[in-house]
Amino acid sequence: MNKPHIGVTLTIIYLALVAVSLAIYALVTQYVNDQNHCTIVGLLGWSATLFATIALLYTFNSWREQKSLEVIATEAKLIINELSKSSKITEDLFYSFMQDHLESYKSNKSILYNIVNNNIKFQLDTLNHLIYINNSKSDENLNKVIFQHNQSYYLFNAKLNNASENKDKLDFSDINKQIITAFGDHSDCNFRLRSYLANYALYKEYDH
């Protein structure tokens, strides 16, 4: 949800303080004769002093929130970059397996494991922590998309391992279909996670 501009908010606060001052003045003049208007001058001075304090605190909080969003956006962009790398490696891994390029298959499998289980996992944990600090709660929708991504990766990896370890025992027409399906599912989950993270990278807010 879009928040009102800071200038609009501070104007509303100032007008509210002036309205309170005038209401207090109207109440006071019912019991006290204020011919020199000292009371209203004092009340307006009080409202100006109070407004200056409120404006300072509000501006500081707004600046702190903006910086928090910048940090979250930077982390989200880093994860999107890693997910793009893993998407390309996943594709290379898939084709190296299908074409029986053993050395390329082993290399891509090791690289993908490192990206998913080390880089991306650590960065997602960091992002979740930053979101919790900023919003005082977790983004459950993000956690759901992350879970789906991880599960699809582990399923794809398990299908590859099963096929590699049982080459002579399996019906490869069937196992290839399973690997193709698992590859497609993981690619879709990777894309969905990148799309979701793009909202944080572009400073868009979710109505949690």
Side-chain angles (χ1 to χ4, degrees):
M1 297 178 64
N2 293 329
K3 295 183 179 180
H5 188 274
I6 185 172
V8 174
T9 302
L10 291 177
T11 299
I12 293 172
I13 291 173
Y14 179 70
L15 292 176
L17 287 172
V18 170
V20 170
S21 298
L22 292 175
I24 293 174
Y25 177 70
L27 182 64
V28 169
T29 53
Q30 291 182 7
Y31 304 98
V32 178
N33 186 11
D34 188 29
Q35 294 181 347
N36 296 324
H37 305 295
C38 294
T39 303
I40 188 59
V41 171
L43 286 171
L44 290 175
W46 165 81
S47 66
T49 301
L50 186 58
F51 173 74
T53 303
I54 293 173
L56 180 62
L57 292 173
Y58 190 87
T59 303
F60 173 75
N61 286 333
S62 178
W63 173 84
R64 184 177 62 179
E65 181 178 345
Q66 178 67 18
K67 288 300 177 184
S68 296
L69 291 175
E70 288 179 11
V71 172
I72 289 172
T74 299
E75 192 65 31
K77 289 173 185 175
L78 291 174
I79 299 171
I80 291 172
N81 185 52
E82 288 297 313
L83 285 168
S84 297
K85 288 181 186 177
S86 75
S87 179
K88 178 63 171 63
I89 295 296
T90 301
E91 185 177 338
D92 292 343
L93 174 62
F94 171 73
Y95 285 112
S96 64
F97 174 83
M98 299 299 288
Q99 296 168 8
D100 205 22
H101 293 163
L102 187 59
E103 290 302 317
S104 178
Y105 168 76
K106 289 181 178 179
S107 174
N108 288 323
K109 198 166 186 294
S110 176
I111 294 171
L112 182 61
Y113 179 89
N114 184 61
I115 292 176
V116 173
N117 288 284
N118 294 323
N119 300 9
I120 293 176
K121 183 179 184 303
F122 174 77
Q123 289 173 331
L124 284 171
D125 288 345
T126 301
L127 179 65
N128 261 325
H129 185 62
L130 291 170
I131 292 171
Y132 184 84
I133 291 174
N134 190 61
N135 299 331
S136 298
K137 60 182 180 180
S138 299
D139 183 347
E140 295 303 325
N141 290 327
L142 173 59
N143 289 332
K144 181 179 178 180
V145 179
I146 291 172
F147 176 79
Q148 292 171 343
H149 171 269
N150 292 342
Q151 288 298 104
S152 68
Y153 164 73
Y154 294 130
L155 178 61
F156 176 55
N157 194 53
K159 294 294 182 183
L160 290 174
N161 289 339
N162 185 41
S164 299
E165 294 168 3
N166 299 280
K167 281 187 175 182
D168 300 328
K169 304 175 185 177
L170 298 172
D171 176 0
F172 254 67
S173 62
D174 179 59
I175 198 64
N176 282 352
K177 289 179 182 178
Q178 293 182 32
I179 290 174
I180 291 170
T181 300
F183 167 69
D185 289 344
H186 180 55
S187 297
D188 289 344
C189 288
N190 182 292
F191 178 76
R192 284 200 297 270
L193 182 52
R194 279 183 286 159
S195 299
Y196 196 96
L197 290 171
N199 289 280
Y200 283 108
L202 297 173
Y203 285 60
K204 291 181 182 178
E205 294 178 284
Y206 283 97
D207 186 11
H208 300 307

